[in-house]
Amino acid sequence: MLPAEIIRKKRDGRKLTKDEISFFVNGYIKGTIPDYQMSAFLMAVYFQGMDFEETTHLTEVMLHSGEIVDLSDIPGVKVDKHSTGGVGDKISLILAPIVASAGVPVPMISGRGLGHTGGTLDKLESIPGFKTNLSIIEYKKVISEIGLVMIGQTQEIAPADKKIYALRDVTATVESIPLISASIMSKKLAEGIDALVLDVKTGNGAFMREYEKAFELAQTLFTIGKNFGKKVIAFITDMNQPLGYAVGNWLEVIESVQCLRGFEVPDLMELTYTLAGAMIMLGEKARSIEDGIKIAKKVIYSGEAYEKFLQLVERQGGDVSFIENPEKYPLPKHSIEVKSMFDGYVYSIDTLEIGLVSVMLGAGRTKVDDLIDPKAGIVLKKKIGDEVQTGEPLAVFYTDKDDVIKTAKERLLKAFKINPEKPIPPKLVKTMIDLEGIKEWK
Ligand code: URA
């Protein structure tokens, strides 16, 4: 087989065989296919797409590029959650301890911030001492001891995804349904789970802005998971404004800890409880999602979920005293308010722009090896539908950088659209896909 022939075939919109996909991906891993040919291949897939069969083959080849973790000696139905990426999405930090407290083991392999979206790993690593680079042996040890583990992708788990993903990030080939599906599912299928809850984002802060595209992605992810013998539920949820108020790593840890201690941030906890309900049901600790939601609320109010989070931080090397006394954390050099120039209601928020400004403040990377400033970020003071007076703060941003303040202020101000009429806030949980079919979420 010739790599250029396979690229040409896809470029011309023809279907690839499993052998061709396998030859290409494995050649790339071995180094016999260089970055420039893989880049051309990815761009061909971006424009021509792949049908479901090709996407399944790609997932399978990527899955088998590494180890498939066996957690069968750990009792219980192991359940994970995956989000396709958003702004202010700190759900995993609250959700995983809730579900583990309900008795469902949660083995979670998370990613880093990507483009304008944040990553669970960067948030966890903002806790002084917290280690996310555990070996597979250590990963299994932690989950068997405390029923919960949160790590990053290792060299052993879907290495093909790790290598291809880095290339996609710099070749503008991220927003492709077959490539996203194979990337997510190869990692998830390798981590040893029995069941998976998917949170597919749609809206102006999501990779799939249009609902139809998010729906197609959710269906593809759901069907791949099901065909690989996993129990899966997929939700399509809104990303037309950041989740909660905090955007930025340590800021998001603080907001998550507040929620774990029972402080209700409405949109954040609505989505957390929905996903938790589904995970607890799939983990066979509740008969329905509604029952699962009740259990999730109970473990928040009893303090068990917070205790579980402390246990996780301690077990993975983090300094718990920063969680218990967040005021110990170093302060950013600048804390700047962005004030409204009008009276009215917040009509819309440019979520992509909020994510990009947070990266500029130091909360994300523009290159793979950039260092993150865990203190940097934005705290929204108003969300869609909130009333605002002239001079009232819309947001506060935090940074150590002197040279970004003016631009950040201007860009954040523009990201909020203020109108005289009160808008209807977007519906947060839109659709659910499970074995029974597609349901509009009530
Ligand atoms: N998250 C992933 O893990 N992979 C993608 O391609 C996009 C989001």
Side-chain angles (χ1 to χ4, degrees):
M1 277 186 225
L2 286 177
E5 279 312 307
I6 297 175
I7 298 169
R8 181 174 292 112
K9 197 171 168 188
K10 189 37 68 189
R11 181 202 68 187
D12 295 344
R14 284 180 288 140
K15 182 170 171 155
L16 300 179
T17 64
K18 185 171 181 191
D19 284 349
E20 286 165 336
I21 295 172
S22 168
F23 169 80
F24 211 94
V25 171
N26 289 323
Y28 183 58
I29 301 305
K30 281 188 266 154
T32 52
I33 292 182
D35 278 353
Y36 55 80
Q37 283 185 314
M38 183 49 107
S39 304
F41 175 81
L42 293 169
M43 196 53 89
V45 174
Y46 177 88
F47 280 113
Q48 294 292 355
M50 276 183 158
D51 71 8
F52 185 74
E53 204 178 342
E54 290 173 290
T55 308
T56 304
H57 292 327
L58 181 61
T59 309
E60 210 169 346
V61 170
M62 282 165 60
L63 166 68
H64 290 289
S65 67
E67 195 180 317
I68 300 175
V69 183
D70 180 5
L71 296 180
S72 58
D73 50 342
I74 294 165
V77 180
K78 273 74 65 186
V79 189
D80 190 10
K81 183 266 323 188
H82 188 84
S83 146
T84 57
V87 179
D89 184 357
K90 70 276 295 170
I91 295 262
S92 293
L93 269 56
I94 315 167
L95 177 71
I98 292 179
V99 177
S101 303
V104 178
V106 183
M108 199 175 259
I109 297 185
S110 305
R112 298 202 175 277
L114 170 72
H116 68 285
T117 66
T120 301
L121 279 194
D122 297 324
K123 297 173 213 218
L124 289 169
E125 286 176 0
S126 74
I127 303 169
F130 196 103
K131 282 199 285 300
T132 57
N133 59 342
L134 307 188
S135 66
I136 296 292
I137 294 173
E138 190 66 5
Y139 164 82
K140 288 173 83 166
K141 219 166 142 209
V142 177
I143 185 149
S144 63
E145 279 170 27
I146 63 169
L148 169 65
V149 61
M150 293 174 90
I151 66 162
Q153 191 175 1
T154 68
Q155 277 309 337
E156 297 117 304
I157 290 189
D161 174 61
K162 203 167 182 183
K163 196 166 173 199
I164 294 172
Y165 198 87
L167 194 61
R168 284 171 59 211
D169 201 17
V170 293
T171 55
T173 50
V174 172
E175 303 92 333
S176 149
I177 289 176
L179 297 179
I180 294 179
S181 303
S183 163
I184 292 176
M185 294 313 286
S186 60
K187 286 190 286 265
K188 294 290 131 179
L189 294 168
E191 68 185 13
I193 48 165
D194 304 302
L196 178 64
V197 170
L198 293 157
D199 178 10
V200 179
K201 306 280 187 201
T202 181
N204 65 14
F207 287 122
M208 297 287 135
R209 292 174 80 96
E210 295 93 36
Y211 177 83
E212 291 67 32
K213 288 272 167 210
F215 182 75
E216 193 183 330
L217 176 60
Q219 271 202 317
T220 309
L221 293 168
F222 172 83
T223 314
I224 294 175
K226 187 185 74 167
N227 290 354
F228 277 89
K230 308 294 171 196
K231 302 199 280 181
V232 189
I233 296 182
F235 290 95
I236 301 168
T237 73
D238 187 71
M239 189 31 74
N240 279 302
Q241 58 182 336
L243 265 171
Y245 292 92
V247 179
N249 300 291
W250 176 246
L251 297 169
E252 294 190 43
V253 171
I254 297 177
E255 191 174 36
S256 305
V257 169
Q258 286 167 342
C259 290
L260 283 163
R261 287 178 136 168
F263 180 74
E264 288 273 336
V265 175
D267 60 339
L268 187 54
M269 289 316 286
E270 179 191 338
L271 185 52
T272 302
Y273 284 137
T274 307
L275 299 173
M279 287 175 79
I280 295 169
M281 185 194 70
L282 290 180
E284 296 173 4
K285 297 288 176 191
R287 267 197 241 117
S288 63
I289 296 184
E290 290 69 28
D291 284 350
I293 292 175
K294 283 187 198 139
I295 296 173
K297 290 187 175 170
K298 202 175 122 246
V299 298
I300 283 283
Y301 299 142
S302 68
E304 286 163 89
Y306 177 58
E307 283 303 320
K308 185 57 78 182
F309 183 69
L310 292 179
Q311 214 181 359
L312 171 81
V313 172
E314 193 159 24
R315 183 61 185 80
Q316 292 196 211
D319 185 341
V320 174
S321 71
F322 284 94
I323 303 297
E324 293 184 303
N325 306 296
E327 60 288 348
K328 273 180 63 178
Y329 211 73
L331 288 174
K333 190 167 159 198
H334 304 286
S335 132
I336 315 271
E337 279 186 342
V338 178
K339 294 178 182 159
S340 178
M341 312 243 286
F342 312 99
D343 290 348
Y345 293 91
V346 178
Y347 183 78
S348 65
I349 298 178
D350 184 340
T351 316
L352 169 64
E353 188 65 353
I354 301 276
L356 292 173
V357 172
S358 79
V359 173
M360 184 177 78
L361 296 172
R365 298 178 187 79
T366 47
K367 295 189 297 318
V368 202
D369 51 359
D370 276 352
L371 279 183
I372 276 186
D373 174 4
K375 313 179 294 307
I378 303 161
V379 174
L380 305 192
K381 294 290 166 187
K382 299 284 175 186
K383 304 239 325 186
I384 297 177
D386 286 349
E387 192 172 6
V388 60
Q389 314 282 328
T390 307
E392 241 193 303
L394 292 166
V396 183
F397 67 85
Y398 301 92
T399 187
D400 280 352
K401 299 185 187 177
D402 303 318
D403 54 345
V404 296
I405 293 175
K406 186 169 172 287
T407 320
K409 242 178 155 169
E410 287 165 4
R411 286 176 64 179
L412 283 176
L413 193 58
K414 267 204 216 135
F416 286 83
K417 191 164 174 224
I418 313 294
N419 265 15
E421 310 87 50
K422 188 175 164 71
I424 300 169
K427 188 170 182 234
L428 182 56
V429 183
K430 298 172 189 298
T431 311
M432 179 178 102
I433 303 175
D434 69 1
L435 274 182
E436 287 171 16
I438 300 152
K439 293 180 202 108
E440 200 191 324
W441 189 253
K442 295 272 184 289

